Amino acid sequence: MRNKKILALFLGIDFLLVLYIAGAWFFSDVMVHFKQRTLAEDQAKLELSGVGDMGLPEPESVRIVADFAPPLQPVAETDVIEIGAWYFRHPAAQAAGRSKCAVILHHGHTGTRWGAIKYGPLFWKRGCDLLSLDSRYHGESGGSCGSYGYHERHDMRRVIAWLQQRTGLPKSQIGLMGESMGAAVSLMTAALEPELAFVAADSSYGDLKNVLMERGAMQYGDLLLSIMLPGAEFFGNMRCNMRVDEVSPARHAANVRIPAFISHSTADAGTLPYHSEDIYANLPGDARVLHMNDWNAPHARDINVNYAGYEAHMDAFLAQHVPTFGR
């Protein structure tokens, strides 16, 4: 009788263990193999008829190999991927035969290059070339999984190198502008690229673990997420060759040595505003601004709700902290 109870106990434990592993595997799949949108789906979701809605000309579609080597070291990634992007060369650059400045635009989670072009006019009016890209495992870019900045920051470094080669610009005339996940990727890239002109981050998360817990709790509940997240993190790390605890723009902000523009809606319920406050608090030096906007905008929509106000913030930031940009 006693042996039967012990056997039943072990079977029960084995069942719970299998159940936990299955659940953790499911949540890791949600984490790194999320459903992303195609370019057409994203365009329809954003209700854009074309890039002309943003006052931009038709771009050149380009493919950038993300293992662009010199002078960079290869990243610890098994797959060599291509980044799909649109390159907008400014008419002033065509007329002068050379570019004067450029900005790389980075969209948010599950989106595409369409989601970032709304920031383009902020810099197009200054005569800057633009590059709006699809992050790895998004849109038309390659990659077997999404890592929220762990691998993407290295992809971005190769995109910067490609843009330098294409435009002939020094890094001091190239800026980064991202929203949500793209903001987090841009910040983590900036921590590795101290020669860039600036980084602008709208609605960034400060720490991946925190935002996964906060967003996941809305869908699955606090208790279930707190139980399953450690296992999901373990399998996510294994499946995407990443480290979730390394994806912390707030912590990496301490290594950002270029001017930084941080912006967030106080009404943001998707990525809570404290994330940007944590990032700003960790940025060194005085070349930094934080705008906590009370325009009642949802996540990453401040520029949609109040373009004039957003433009004024960006113009003031560039005038004070990056006065030579575009000159």
Side-chain angles (χ1 to χ4, degrees):
M1 188 68 177
R2 183 182 177 187
N3 289 339
K4 287 183 178 180
K5 287 182 178 180
I6 293 173
L7 178 61
L9 177 62
F10 276 111
L11 288 175
I13 293 172
D14 287 346
F15 174 76
L16 290 175
L17 181 59
V18 169
L19 189 64
Y20 183 83
I21 290 172
W25 187 267
F26 166 78
F27 282 109
S28 74
D29 208 52
V30 173
M31 182 191 305
V32 301
H33 293 148
F34 44 83
K35 187 181 186 307
Q36 64 277 71
R37 294 188 290 275
T38 65
L39 288 181
E41 289 170 342
D42 206 30
Q43 181 182 5
K45 180 179 184 293
L46 296 169
E47 299 180 342
L48 293 172
S49 61
V51 296
D53 292 358
M54 302 298 167
L56 299 173
E58 286 301 310
E60 176 189 352
S61 292
V62 298
R63 306 288 294 179
I64 302 169
V65 178
D67 72 337
F68 189 94
L72 305 173
Q73 295 300 315
V75 298
E77 249 292 47
T78 55
D79 56 337
V80 175
I81 71 167
E82 284 189 335
I83 300 295
W86 285 331
Y87 174 54
F88 300 84
R89 192 168 191 226
H90 200 281
Q94 294 176 351
R98 62 182 179 85
S99 301
K100 61 187 258 185
C101 53
V103 177
I104 300 172
L105 310 174
H106 199 306
H107 62 82
H109 184 238
T110 74
T112 72
R113 65 191 83 167
W114 278 109
I117 62 170
K118 64 186 179 183
Y119 300 98
L122 297 170
F123 312 103
W124 189 253
K125 69 177 187 176
R126 296 174 173 273
C128 297
D129 295 358
L130 303 173
L131 185 76
S132 188
L133 57 82
D134 294 336
S135 190
R136 71 163 50 213
Y137 199 65
H138 288 75
E140 294 184 341
S141 291
S144 58
C145 57
S147 66
Y148 302 87
Y150 185 83
H151 295 304
E152 291 81 356
R153 56 184 162 164
H154 299 295
D155 297 340
M156 282 283 280
R157 298 189 74 191
R158 281 143 184 85
V159 170
I160 292 166
W162 180 92
L163 189 57
Q164 279 191 275
Q165 191 177 60
R166 180 64 183 267
T167 63
L169 288 169
K171 290 181 182 180
S172 60
Q173 290 298 329
I174 296 175
L176 306 180
M177 173 82 234
E179 73 167 25
S180 192
M181 182 196 76
V185 172
S186 297
L187 284 163
M188 293 180 67
T189 303
L192 300 173
E193 293 283 359
E195 298 175 21
L196 291 173
F198 67 88
V199 58
D202 187 294
S203 310
S204 179
Y205 46 82
D207 184 87
L208 180 57
K209 278 189 179 182
N210 289 346
V211 80
L212 287 175
M213 187 66 200
E214 291 158 4
R215 290 201 171 198
M218 296 179 193
Q219 189 170 358
Y220 302 105
D222 288 327
L223 180 59
L224 180 61
L225 253 292
S226 62
I227 294 171
M228 300 307 302
L229 193 56
E233 179 184 338
F234 172 81
F235 286 122
N237 286 343
M238 179 180 70
R239 299 173 75 182
C240 203
N241 190 25
M242 64 181 287
R243 286 186 55 189
V244 169
D245 59 3
E246 176 69 15
V247 184
S248 179
R251 189 168 69 247
H252 287 278
N255 295 319
V256 173
R257 295 292 183 267
I258 60 177
F261 174 96
I262 311 297
S263 189
H264 213 119
S265 171
T266 57
D268 191 343
T271 300
L272 300 178
Y274 82 86
H275 284 274
S276 282
E277 292 174 330
D278 287 352
I279 290 166
Y280 178 77
N282 287 342
L283 287 166
D286 298 323
R288 54 183 180 143
V289 299
L290 172 66
H291 292 288
M292 303 301 292
N293 303 312
D294 58 357
W295 303 332
N296 201 32
H299 178 63
R301 293 297 180 270
D302 271 332
I303 196 170
N304 302 71
V305 170
N306 186 356
Y307 182 85
Y310 203 99
E311 180 182 40
H313 287 171
M314 183 61 72
D315 287 347
F317 164 73
L318 293 175
Q320 180 178 357
H321 297 296
V322 204
T324 61
F325 184 67
R327 295 182 182 175

